[in-house]
Amino acid sequence: PRHTFSVWFGETNRTVDFCLKTHVLDGYTNYLITIDNFPKGIAYVDAAIAAKKCVKAADYLRLLYLYENGGIYLDADMEVRGSFDHLLNEMFFAGKEENGFIANSLIGSVKGYAPLKKCLDEMGSQFKGDDEFIFEAGMVQTLASMLNSAHSA
């Protein structure tokens, strides 16, 4: 969908404010998930927020929101300098850093993409929102889930 969103739980600064303005693209809707409007009643997220582990909450919410709504997730401190129109026919895409690392900072997906649900289920069953493990490998896990789903289909 022609939709961008970000998650930001802290106070913004000039960099974040500037970057968030670049997320508002012609022909796209835009949404910012904050501490005031994040979905309540999700055990993993509620535990992460209560433990002040906002990164963990954001890791989960970016995948949940993509699964439920589709669209393009952008880290709040990421500047958009172009269009995503050429990627809208893809079922899933992710950003890649200069060092080759697949980044959580840019992810696009169709609504209901099953590998995202599989990843969410794995996060929720293997980890807790308030434990010490930060799901930094979230994108790797997502891609592994996608590959496993593709091979089993």
Side-chain angles (χ1 to χ4, degrees):
R2 297 175 69 83
H3 177 76
T4 62
F5 76 98
S6 299
V7 179
W8 189 263
F9 290 125
E11 291 186 29
T12 61
N13 55 44
R14 281 195 292 177
T15 300
V16 170
D17 287 338
F18 169 80
C19 290
L20 287 172
K21 287 178 185 172
T22 70
H23 297 187
V24 179
L25 305 170
D26 287 339
Y28 288 71
T29 60
N30 178 263
Y31 186 65
L32 178 63
I33 299 170
T34 68
I35 197 70
D36 296 323
N37 67 6
F38 76 93
K40 314 298 188 280
I42 302 166
Y44 186 98
V45 175
D46 290 345
I49 295 294
K52 299 191 184 311
K53 296 179 184 273
C54 294
V55 170
K56 292 183 68 131
D59 283 345
Y60 192 92
L61 286 172
R62 72 170 56 104
L63 295 181
L64 177 66
Y65 199 83
L66 280 171
Y67 177 73
E68 290 182 346
N69 303 286
I72 301 167
Y73 168 80
L74 301 159
D75 272 0
D77 59 355
M78 184 175 180
E79 179 184 1
V80 175
R81 293 185 171 187
S83 171
F84 296 108
D85 290 354
H86 65 288
L87 297 170
L88 294 178
N89 291 327
E90 303 298 330
M91 292 187 71
F92 180 90
F93 62 86
K96 185 169 140 181
E97 297 179 2
E98 288 179 11
N99 64 5
F101 182 74
I102 304 215
N104 286 339
S105 56
L106 167 65
I107 309 170
S109 178
V110 296
K111 178 180 177 178
Y113 194 50
L116 292 177
K117 177 68 168 124
K118 183 176 179 186
C119 185
L120 286 165
D121 291 346
E122 289 176 13
M123 285 176 72
S125 67
Q126 294 180 27
F127 310 103
K128 296 180 180 178
D130 59 355
D131 62 18
E132 295 304 313
F133 182 77
I134 296 177
F135 203 69
E136 291 176 339
M139 182 60 11
V140 173
Q141 183 69 31
T142 301
L143 292 173
S145 293
M146 288 183 355
L147 289 173
N148 288 336
S149 294
H151 288 115
S152 63

